[in-house]
Amino acid sequence: MAPHVLSSDPAGAAPELERAKPNLGGATPQDLRIPIKSSESSDDLAGLSKRDIIIFSDFDGTIFMQDTGHILFDAHGCGADRREELDEQIRMGVRSFRDVSEEMWGSLNVPFENGFEVMKEALKIDPHFLEFHDFCIKNNIPFNVISAGLKPILRRVLDEFLGKKQSKHIDIIANDAIIPEDGKSWKPIWRHETPLGHDKAASIQEYRTIASSESEDGSVPLVVFVGDGVSDLAAAREADVLFARRGLRLEEYCRTCKIPHISFDTFRDIQTEIIRIMKEDTKKTAGAGKPTHYNPRANFWRKAVKKKNIPRFVKNSTQQDKMHLWPETFTVTAEQQQQQGESSGFADQQS
């Protein structure tokens, strides 16, 4: 039987099977939820400026405490030991995130619904996420999930834990997938042709372009990013406000590299901070022009094209972090590793 693409259209009643379609990459207004002007708001933001806010959030480890892919790989794929070996290959720069991920997803041998049952039992959602997302809906704050994972999985999980009525308000920017009906060898359809497969920073840049063209009064929206790991940093640096889950790798990295951020324990903390930020913005700008927390360096730090121009915080990072921050330069292919080994062996013979 020919493989199919598992659709994750939030407007549908449930995921449906369609014929495989090519991934065209770049974002469109249909991919990203754009703020729509409204006179209605909850009491939390009543009387404040009508500046648009857009929130991007990582999924695994941020909205949910566990990693959806890891749950599947350990139970129905390569297993925990092999997964850790593959993760080590990414950390050492031996293989790209995309290459390793293709092996992990390809190791799966489980129908979609059976795999979902395993995830449903293992996943735990942030205790205040539902309350926070309700706050976003009431105040017309678009909430977009941005992930290196597979869109059909993320949509199915959100439908289950939030309910389809609430879930349909969340747009997902992630990779699609070909998932055979018999569940053998899942295949990601990558959003971008890069070593990461999905360049989260590029997706946020695409949103900024769309949002600017949609703005009616010329004001600049406030872009917020929520994450937990160093793999989120490239996207985080495109945002005006960064929230890093307390005690995890992204917060640690931000502290070490003195990157402005707000630590959080639950999404209730994020809600409180957004209200505070909007009060400050109303007082200082009345919602006009650029927001108080505007990030003028968004997209600037990634424009270097030569290795010698790479930002200092990237140069001083571990090999694992460099792989996520600057994959085009710091990913070592298997062929390159073999060449390095041959050169080393030749040098040993000469000595």
Side-chain angles (χ1 to χ4, degrees), residues 147-166:
S147 171
L150 303 187
K151 190 185 297 186
I153 293 176
L154 310 187
R155 174 60 63 196
R156 186 71 174 82
V157 170
L158 288 174
D159 284 350
E160 176 69 26
F161 281 82
L162 274 65
K164 291 178 182 177
K165 183 178 179 181
Q166 189 98 349

Side-chain angles (χ1 to χ4, degrees), residues 287-304:
K290 297 175 181 177
T292 303
H293 290 263
Y294 178 69
N295 175 13
R297 295 185 66 83
N299 192 33
F300 177 79
W301 70 281
R302 299 181 83 246
K303 290 182 179 178

Side-chain angles (χ1 to χ4, degrees), residues 3-6 17 110-112 150 152-153 177-181 183 186-187:
H4 292 71
V5 172
L6 191 56
L17 290 173
V110 59
F112 182 83
L150 303 187
I153 293 176
I178 296 175
I179 304 175
E181 291 183 5
W186 297 23
K187 180 177 175 57

Side-chain angles (χ1 to χ4, degrees), residues 51 208 221-224 239-242 260 262 273 276-278 280-281 284-285 290-296:
R51 181 182 302 284
R208 282 189 181 275
L222 181 77
V223 176
V224 174
D240 300 309
V241 178
L242 166 61
I262 300 173
E273 285 299 314
R276 179 189 66 78
I277 289 169
M278 291 310 295
E280 179 184 357
D281 187 68
K284 293 183 178 180
T285 73
K290 297 175 181 177
T292 303
H293 290 263
Y294 178 69
N295 175 13

Side-chain angles (χ1 to χ4, degrees), residues 37-298:
K37 298 294 183 182
S38 172
S39 58
E40 298 180 0
S41 64
S42 74
D43 293 340
D44 293 323
L45 295 183
L48 300 184
S49 69
K50 296 300 181 182
R51 181 182 302 284
D52 291 339
I53 309 170
I54 176 72
I55 299 176
F56 292 93
S57 176
D58 180 46
F59 192 86
D60 297 313
T62 302
I63 298 175
F64 287 84
M65 303 299 102
Q66 298 79 20
D67 187 292
T68 50
H70 289 182
I71 293 170
L72 285 174
F73 305 146
D74 294 355
H76 293 289
C78 57
D81 291 343
R82 177 57 179 165
R83 174 177 59 78
E84 291 174 2
E85 291 175 4
L86 292 171
D87 282 338
E88 183 65 18
Q89 291 179 12
I90 297 176
R91 282 191 287 270
M92 298 299 293
V94 175
R95 296 170 67 187
S96 69
F97 175 86
R98 173 173 172 163
D99 187 30
V100 167
S101 294
E102 286 184 347
E103 179 175 333
M104 288 182 178
W105 290 114
S107 73
L108 289 177
N109 185 12
V110 59
F112 182 83
E113 288 300 326
N114 292 19
F116 172 72
E117 289 301 316
V118 176
M119 288 187 290
K120 186 170 69 172
E121 293 299 318
L123 287 171
K124 297 201 179 306
I125 194 170
D126 180 286
H128 297 292
F129 178 76
L130 237 101
E131 173 189 338
F132 172 77
H133 188 240
D134 188 55
F135 161 81
C136 290
I137 293 174
K138 289 179 179 177
N139 289 283
N140 190 39
I141 300 175
F143 186 94
N144 294 292
V145 164
I146 187 165
S147 171
L150 303 187
K151 190 185 297 186
I153 293 176
L154 310 187
R155 174 60 63 196
R156 186 71 174 82
V157 170
L158 288 174
D159 284 350
E160 176 69 26
F161 281 82
L162 274 65
K164 291 178 182 177
K165 183 178 179 181
Q166 189 98 349
S167 171
K168 71 179 182 180
H169 291 281
I170 298 178
D171 286 339
I172 299 173
I173 309 130
N175 305 298
D176 280 309
I178 296 175
I179 304 175
E181 291 183 5
D182 63 5
K184 291 183 180 178
S185 189
W186 297 23
K187 180 177 175 57
I189 302 177
W190 300 107
R191 190 174 180 87
H192 298 114
E193 291 299 323
T194 68
L196 292 177
H198 178 196
D199 186 337
K200 296 181 183 180
S203 289
I204 294 182
Q205 291 164 19
E206 289 163 356
Y207 165 78
R208 282 189 181 275
T209 300
I210 294 169
S212 296
S213 66
E214 299 269 336
S215 176
E216 297 176 357
D217 55 11
S219 62
V220 179
L222 181 77
V223 176
V224 174
F225 184 84
V226 187
D228 69 297
V230 173
S231 62
D232 296 321
L233 189 55
R237 294 184 75 88
E238 298 298 325
D240 300 309
V241 178
L242 166 61
F243 289 96
R245 187 172 281 284
R246 194 183 308 278
L248 297 183
R249 190 70 181 89
L250 180 58
E251 184 201 38
E252 177 188 344
Y253 195 92
C254 288
R255 287 181 182 276
T256 301
C257 297
K258 296 181 171 37
I259 297 171
H261 68 285
I262 300 173
S263 300
F264 75 97
D265 292 306
T266 75
F267 273 81
R268 177 175 287 174
D269 301 330
I270 298 175
Q271 180 174 332
T272 299
E273 285 299 314
I274 286 178
I275 294 171
R276 179 189 66 78
I277 289 169
M278 291 310 295
K279 286 181 178 179
E280 179 184 357
D281 187 68
T282 299
K283 182 177 180 180
K284 293 183 178 180
T285 73
K290 297 175 181 177
T292 303
H293 290 263
Y294 178 69
N295 175 13
R297 295 185 66 83

